[in-house]
Amino acid sequence: MCFCVFFLQVGYQTFISQCSLNGDGLVAVLRLLRLCFCRMIIFYIHVVRVLRLCRNAATRRENMADLRPRSHNNKRSRQRVCSLTGGVLQLTDLDDFITPSQECVKPVKVEKKQGKSVAKIQIEDDGSYVQVNQDGGKQKLEKAKITLNDCLACSGCITSAESVLITQQSHEELFKVLRNNKDNATEQKVVVVSVSPQSRASLAASYDLSSSEAGRRLTSFFKGLGVHHVFDTSYSRTFSLLESQREFVERFQRKEQDSKCLPMLTSACPGWICYAEKTHGEFVLPYISTTRSPQQMMGSLVKGYYAEQQGISPRQIYHVAVMPCFDKKLEASRSDFYLETAETREVDCVITSGEVQKMLEEKNVSLNDVEPAPLDTMFSSVSGDDFLNHAGSGSGGYLHHVFTYAAKQLFGEEVKELTYKTLRNKDFQEVTLEKDGKVLLCFASTYGFRNIQNLVQKLKRGKSPYDFVEVMACPSGCLNGGGQVKPRPGQNPKELLQKVEALYKSERPLSPEDDAQVAELYQIWLGSVGEERARELLHTQYHTVEKMTNGLAMKW
Amino acid sequence: MKEGLTLVQRLSAHPDSRCWFVSWSPTGTLLASCGGDKAIRIWGREGDSWVCKSVLQDGHQRTVRKVAWSPCGNYLASASFDATTSIWKKKDDDFESLTVLEGHENEVKCVAWAPSGNLLATCSRDKSVWVWEVDEEDEYECVTVINSHTQDVKHVVWHPTQELLASASYDNNICIYKEDDDDWECRATLQGHTSTVWGLTFDAAGQRLASCSDDRTVKIWKDYSNESGQGDLSWKCICTLSGFHGRTVYDVAWCGLTGAMATACGDDSVRVFKEDEASDPDQPVFSLSAQVSKAHSQDVNCVAWNPKEVGLLASCGDDGEIAIWRFQSED
């Protein structure tokens, strides 16, 4: 193209020099030439643009082929996309493979500025991106960030960013906040740590201590780092148990009118909730209890009640929860647990039992060497120097408590001891209340993915005989959570689990109805805020995650 | 008798599509095939030729990848790319859909019945292997979900006599599973192939396992586990057949009656290997007994030996056709 223009110019100049036309004729010819010249330039620009688009389209198509399911070394995937029939390229069977979500459900919001949309982007030496505007002004571009919050909504992006982002909520963050407190006199945060009884039992097993002893020493360790309060989630669990009991009875009483209220499925396990929202959606969500989990109940207590009492904004509190699994980090990041006005999360950071172990190692401290400290009684279930627990399973005892309460409230039956019947495997157990040969209540606990599968499939076919199911994603429940302290080399994992279970059960149980402290808080705090606010503080909701399984809907 | 493979009949099973798999019924009288046209076809013999007895359409929304007959011959399971597995019940000459097993996150690549008839195994691109159990009322429930592979699982096969499961994957490994306590675990990982393992087959006695792969070889593995059955199992590769196949070997089938091994290859040919009589059982030597270079006009996807009729072999390919062969060995 450039050569044509060049030759044109040369020709033009020679023509001019050779020309012997008179003035007017010459002007006319020159005008004509100029017109042709301009038209050619415009034509050139269009051609280049089209060529560029084609090239980009070709690269995008290649990239799309890469995103296809991993049968790359199988020429089939390429054959599947196009077939050459009679010289014409045809797209065939494009929707035969189920592709994972190709579009991020929560795209990053970009501020659209008015004006010309053309700008140059320069990469600086330090790796940052700078936009160079038309007037020469430079603007540093922000890195697009996807937070854990955003990823929760996604139905499975190819990079499995969830697992990557889970590591961002770590003990490093806690250390950072504590450091900031030490260095910064102005922006002090009140640091509160809520320890779950399962994590306590796991750490106790790791250091050969009793559960209460481990709790006392953990309190001392955390306070030594600068933490202000160390609470126990058994306390907030009391709220969860009480609310679950009431919710079940209320559901049972309206089971004739509402076909989707029973069986009631527990909601304390975030792994189960994430799976239910992503895979089964609208079908299973109505069955799930709206009661908050102990972690988020504690969130309400700390950032709601405690903040009010102390006269500080919830933003000034940094709430850390020590939990037995990683999915609790996802739970803490849910938008339902974000306080809009205060612009803070109810639980800021979740660290696992294993991460606490790492913290101890980093600080070169062994729990055995730490001096025990007195326990914070405000939001802890304690009696003297010992922790109090709840009866029932190591995952919270929901089945136990709802069963005994329902038996009493609905049928006037006092149940002293529950008889568990093991079904298909030890993670699937059943408890029934029978009177005069009639089954009044049928409850079950299903732990582990395989049992959850069977539960949901039975539910879908309308063949589930249960009124209530305690659902936990981990086989053997929370005591065997993915974030618990791992067995030492040579230690048998089954033996370690048994040890943790024994330590957990050694704490004295307290019935939720007999907890005077909790009853008091119900009256003075929840009673005073009104029914709607109380419901907000004690309950939550679920959202189906929309899946995008059609690869053709991908935006270019 | 001349040794070799002779074509008995060619059937246009899945027109305008590819035929992915063929499976003989336990009595050897019916042949089930499935393909990219989302249908399953049942073929039976009428006189001297094979004809289509029934077509099972509308069972799946996407390609049907594999079909498997139950050991009693009354049920047919089909695995499809729509992430479901359908169970069909045989009623006289027709089949009706009994139930659909859901749960896999993406394409189900294989389904296999255990010899006891009570258990069913499925595997999928979601890297998991699921074991299902059937009860008396034809209710299917998930027994376990095993995630031993790190990539797409291509094939699962049951041991002919023990309750042992083997799976092959895109991650180049073969995993062997056994039930322990109340859950299934991977007891052995067979490493050796340098690319995707596409097919697996046990020999008649179940002492040896043959695997075929994208690395163009077929490997024979033998069980050297200690008698007690406790702890990890030990399987070692005792033979590798290389240099015979020009492209990926997609399927391998070990005849339960004669011990001959057939392979389906991406170079459009079907080959039959036989073990040399004199070779050491711990170091067998297999030699190429018969080969048909252009068995199909495109990749051969599957080979299957008839369980009752000696020498009858069925193969299917990307050309949508099924070819029935007769293998005559020199005896």
Side-chain angles (χ1 to χ4, degrees):
Chain A
M1 276 293 153
C2 297
F3 280 121
C4 295
V5 173
F6 173 67
F7 280 122
L8 252 182
Q9 271 189 323
V10 167
Y12 171 60
Q13 269 161 2
T14 1
F15 174 68
I16 295 299
S17 59
Q18 303 273 343
C19 198
S20 57
L21 284 170
N22 66 354
D24 282 330
L26 190 64
V27 167
V29 170
L30 285 176
R31 268 206 197 119
L32 189 66
L33 274 172
R34 195 177 64 193
L35 197 65
C36 294
F37 184 66
C38 291
R39 286 243 167 91
M40 258 204 268
I41 297 293
I42 293 167
F43 176 66
Y44 169 72
I45 290 171
H46 277 300
V47 165
V48 166
R49 216 182 251 167
V50 170
L51 279 175
R52 266 206 202 123
L53 273 172
C54 288
R55 196 179 60 207
N56 287 345
T59 11
R60 263 194 231 114
R61 218 174 273 133
E62 266 167 38
N63 289 340
M64 190 166 125
D66 281 346
L67 291 175
R68 292 216 160 263
R70 269 86 50 90
S71 320
H72 322 293
N73 68 347
N74 175 8
K75 67 176 163 48
R76 282 143 209 268
S77 55
R78 266 167 269 144
Q79 259 184 357
R80 196 160 285 283
V81 174
C82 30
S83 68
L84 201 62
T85 356
V88 177
L89 204 63
Q90 267 183 338
L91 289 175
T92 58
D93 294 350
L94 254 184
D95 57 355
D96 210 46
F97 282 115
I98 298 172
T99 52
S101 215
Q102 301 211 17
E103 181 182 280
C104 190
V105 178
K106 287 267 174 119
V108 179
K109 286 202 184 83
V110 172
E111 263 178 46
K112 284 248 187 251
K113 291 194 185 64
Q114 289 298 325
K116 295 225 168 82
S117 53
V118 182
K120 270 200 293 190
I121 297 182
Q122 233 174 37
I123 306 174
E124 303 283 277
D125 290 325
D126 61 358
S128 61
Y129 293 78
V130 165
Q131 178 179 301
V132 182
N133 295 328
Q134 289 209 318
D135 57 3
K138 286 192 178 183
Q139 233 182 315
K140 186 159 180 182
L141 292 170
E142 267 180 54
K143 268 196 196 149
K145 275 192 274 210
I146 302 175
T147 62
L148 195 55
N149 226 349
D150 300 325
C151 255
L152 266 186
C154 191
S155 64
C157 86
I158 298 152
T159 56
S160 301
E162 255 173 18
S163 43
V164 168
L165 293 170
I166 276 173
T167 53
Q168 280 187 354
Q169 234 192 56
S170 68
H171 61 285
E172 301 288 341
E173 291 296 312
L174 173 60
F175 278 146
K176 214 193 279 182
V177 172
L178 291 167
R179 251 199 315 275
N180 269 347
N181 268 0
K182 276 207 186 109
D183 302 335
N184 222 334
T186 46
E187 251 206 63
Q188 287 279 316
K189 287 213 177 199
V190 176
V191 185
V192 173
V193 174
S194 302
V195 182
S196 70
Q198 291 91 354
S199 297
R200 197 169 51 238
S202 175
L203 287 161
S206 181
Y207 288 95
D208 289 313
L209 299 164
S210 77
S211 184
S212 292
E213 190 56 44
R216 286 192 285 271
R217 288 167 195 237
L218 273 172
T219 306
S220 168
F221 171 69
F222 281 125
K223 289 202 166 163
L225 292 174
V227 170
H228 298 93
H229 299 285
V230 180
F231 297 136
D232 167 34
T233 60
S234 294
Y235 181 80
S236 53
R237 190 166 65 191
T238 315
F239 286 86
S240 296
L241 289 169
L242 289 169
E243 284 303 304
S244 296
Q245 289 173 336
R246 287 175 203 162
E247 188 182 347
F248 176 73
V249 166
E250 187 255 333
R251 281 182 182 235
F252 192 88
Q253 284 167 339
R254 65 177 161 89
K255 69 174 176 173
E256 301 302 322
Q257 291 92 24
D258 185 356
S259 65
K260 283 219 156 187
C261 64
L262 289 189
M264 178 165 119
L265 310 174
T266 54
S267 56
C269 177
W272 153 236
I273 300 298
C274 280
Y275 172 71
E277 285 183 331
K278 276 190 204 175
T279 320
H280 299 290
E282 282 314 317
F283 175 76
V284 87
L285 296 182
Y287 294 102
I288 305 183
S289 157
T290 53
T291 304
R292 283 186 179 219
S293 70
Q295 173 180 288
Q296 298 305 139
M297 282 290 194
M298 190 58 100
S300 282
L301 285 166
V302 168
K303 296 237 179 171
Y305 180 68
Y306 177 72
E308 259 173 56
Q309 268 225 315
Q310 300 291 311
I312 51 178
S313 151
R315 207 145 191 242
Q316 288 170 280
I317 305 176
Y318 190 72
H319 187 195
V320 180
V322 179
M323 289 288 154
C325 73
F326 292 94
D327 282 339
K328 283 289 178 187
K329 297 187 190 225
L330 291 176
E331 186 178 17
S333 312
R334 282 174 76 91
S335 56
D336 306 277
F337 300 131
Y338 181 76
L339 299 167
E340 291 284 349
T341 36
E343 285 183 3
T344 181
R345 288 207 291 262
E346 288 179 351
V347 177
D348 295 287
C349 177
V350 174
I351 54 178
T352 63
S353 328
E355 284 174 309
V356 172
Q357 170 89 305
K358 233 191 270 180
M359 278 173 82
L360 288 161
E361 280 168 18
E362 275 179 29
K363 294 283 175 186
N364 242 321
V365 170
S366 160
L367 269 189
N368 289 313
D369 304 327
V370 178
E371 280 299 313
L375 303 168
D376 272 325
T377 55
M378 178 167 24
F379 290 145
S380 302
S381 290
V382 295
S383 161
D385 258 348
D386 289 321
F387 283 99
L388 294 170
N389 205 341
H390 293 119
S393 70
S395 308
Y398 293 91
L399 187 149
H400 178 106
H401 290 90
V402 177
F403 188 81
T404 44
Y405 182 80
K408 181 97 182 280
Q409 288 294 111
L410 299 166
F411 305 103
E413 293 283 320
E414 279 276 349
V415 180
K416 295 283 177 209
E417 225 182 279
L418 273 74
T419 336
Y420 292 89
K421 186 171 107 178
T422 303
L423 299 177
R424 172 172 291 279
N425 51 62
K426 61 173 161 44
D427 280 330
F428 188 11
Q429 301 194 321
E430 206 180 76
V431 179
T432 49
L433 180 71
E434 284 177 53
K435 194 168 178 186
D436 305 324
K438 202 169 144 228
V439 174
L440 301 169
L441 287 174
C442 192
F443 282 30
S445 73
T446 55
Y447 294 177
F449 186 61
R450 54 187 176 153
N451 292 316
I452 294 179
Q453 272 301 301
N454 288 332
L455 172 73
V456 180
Q457 291 305 324
K458 269 220 164 104
L459 213 61
K460 281 195 164 164
R461 290 203 295 267
K463 290 191 175 167
S464 179
Y466 303 116
D467 298 308
F468 177 92
V469 186
E470 181 176 310
V471 185
M472 297 290 154
C474 295
S476 304
C478 301
L479 288 168
N480 194 28
Q484 295 284 62
V485 179
K486 298 272 175 275
R488 278 190 300 272
Q491 192 177 25
N492 184 339
K494 289 203 177 118
E495 270 172 27
L496 176 64
L497 179 61
Q498 279 171 345
K499 190 173 173 190
V500 175
E501 280 172 354
L503 285 167
Y504 179 86
K505 292 211 179 328
S506 68
E507 287 176 0
R508 194 159 58 84
L510 173 66
S511 175
E513 295 97 358
D514 297 336
D515 195 326
Q517 222 181 332
V518 171
E520 201 188 313
L521 216 70
Y522 255 102
Q523 259 198 334
I524 60 176
W525 178 46
L526 296 162
S528 68
V529 296
E531 215 180 289
E532 210 188 298
R533 177 85 184 115
R535 202 189 151 72
E536 246 176 52
L537 292 163
L538 300 169
H539 290 261
T540 181
Q541 51 194 357
Y542 309 107
H543 319 278
T544 309
V545 175
E546 295 301 333
K547 275 195 283 212
M548 256 246 299
T549 52
N550 188 356
L552 280 178
M554 189 181 110
K555 293 199 178 79
W556 289 61
Chain B
M1 289 250 175
K2 183 174 171 281
E3 182 170 270
L5 271 174
T6 40
L7 181 66
V8 170
Q9 194 178 349
R10 200 174 280 278
L11 308 161
S12 176
H14 298 272
D16 298 328
S17 180
R18 67 187 72 199
C19 184
W20 277 113
F21 204 73
V22 278
S23 176
W24 293 98
S25 69
T27 53
T29 50
L30 295 172
L31 180 68
S33 74
C34 62
D37 59 355
K38 309 168 196 168
I40 303 163
R41 278 170 199 259
I42 313 291
W43 306 84
R45 214 182 216 147
E46 238 162 61
D48 267 341
S49 58
W50 294 84
V51 292
C52 182
K53 294 274 182 167
S54 56
V55 181
L56 308 177
Q57 202 77 48
D58 303 328
H60 289 286
Q61 270 86 52
R62 295 187 192 202
T63 295
V64 187
R65 184 61 175 90
K66 292 220 167 79
V67 275
W69 292 88
S70 68
C72 60
N74 291 330
Y75 300 89
L76 186 68
S78 59
S80 165
F81 281 179
D82 64 4
T84 64
T85 309
S86 273
I87 311 290
W88 306 82
K89 189 168 177 152
K90 188 164 186 288
K91 261 206 161 89
D92 305 319
D93 266 340
D94 217 349
F95 285 80
E96 63 169 18
S97 180
L98 188 65
T99 183
V100 175
L101 306 179
E102 291 176 334
H104 276 294
E105 285 169 44
N106 20 47
E107 298 87 28
V108 187
K109 298 291 174 104
C110 186
V111 63
W113 292 86
S116 61
N118 281 359
L119 298 173
L120 192 66
T122 55
C123 68
S124 157
R125 182 166 71 80
D126 65 8
K127 309 167 199 167
S128 63
V129 171
W130 290 47
V131 180
W132 307 80
E133 192 175 52
V134 193
D135 63 19
E136 305 83 41
E137 295 120 38
D138 280 345
E139 291 281 322
Y140 288 76
E141 275 197 353
C142 173
V143 170
T144 187
V145 174
I146 321 161
N147 288 292
S148 290
H149 284 292
T150 53
Q151 296 283 12
D152 188 355
V153 191
K154 301 288 191 186
H155 198 84
V156 270
V157 70
W158 288 92
H159 191 281
T161 51
Q162 300 169 27
E163 219 150 69
L164 196 81
L165 183 64
S167 66
S169 164
Y170 177 67
D171 65 5
N172 312 352
N173 295 337
I174 300 165
C175 281
I176 313 254
Y177 310 94
K178 216 171 172 178
E179 193 170 9
D180 169 54
D181 218 357
D182 71 350
D183 204 357
W184 286 71
E185 353 174 280
C186 174
R187 289 293 196 80
T189 306
L190 278 50
Q191 291 170 320
H193 279 295
T194 53
S195 190
T196 307
V197 187
W198 280 103
L200 292 173
T201 180
F202 276 99
D203 69 352
Q207 277 166 349
R208 292 182 298 182
L209 175 68
S211 62
C212 65
S213 162
D214 178 54
D215 62 8
R216 310 178 197 177
T217 65
V218 172
K219 282 190 192 279
I220 318 284
W221 309 79
K222 188 163 172 183
D223 188 5
Y224 286 104
S225 320
N226 56 358
E227 286 306 309
S228 66
Q230 289 301 318
D232 281 346
L233 300 172
S234 171
W235 285 72
K236 296 204 200 316
C237 178
I238 53 171
C239 175
T240 303
L241 300 169
S242 53
F244 295 100
H245 302 91
R247 294 256 175 97
T248 307
V249 191
Y250 287 115
D251 196 17
V252 62
W254 216 327
C255 184
L257 304 169
T258 60
M261 189 157 43
T263 59
C265 187
D267 61 4
D268 312 348
S269 40
V270 169
R271 293 175 179 82
V272 180
F273 294 86
K274 282 197 78 179
E275 192 174 351
D276 283 356
E277 302 273 324
S279 64
D280 176 8
D282 282 338
Q283 278 184 328
V285 176
F286 281 81
S287 46
L288 184 62
S289 176
Q291 175 176 337
V292 179
S293 297
K294 270 287 169 195
H296 289 269
S297 54
Q298 288 179 58
D299 291 4
V300 188
N301 292 325
C302 175
V303 273
W305 291 101
N306 189 302
K308 295 290 180 214
E309 211 174 308
V310 174
L312 199 61
L313 180 71
S315 70
C316 69
D318 274 358
D319 53 4
E321 293 183 346
I322 299 175
I324 316 248
W325 309 89
R326 186 160 297 283
F327 173 64
Q328 261 127 343
S329 66
E330 232 175 44
D331 287 313

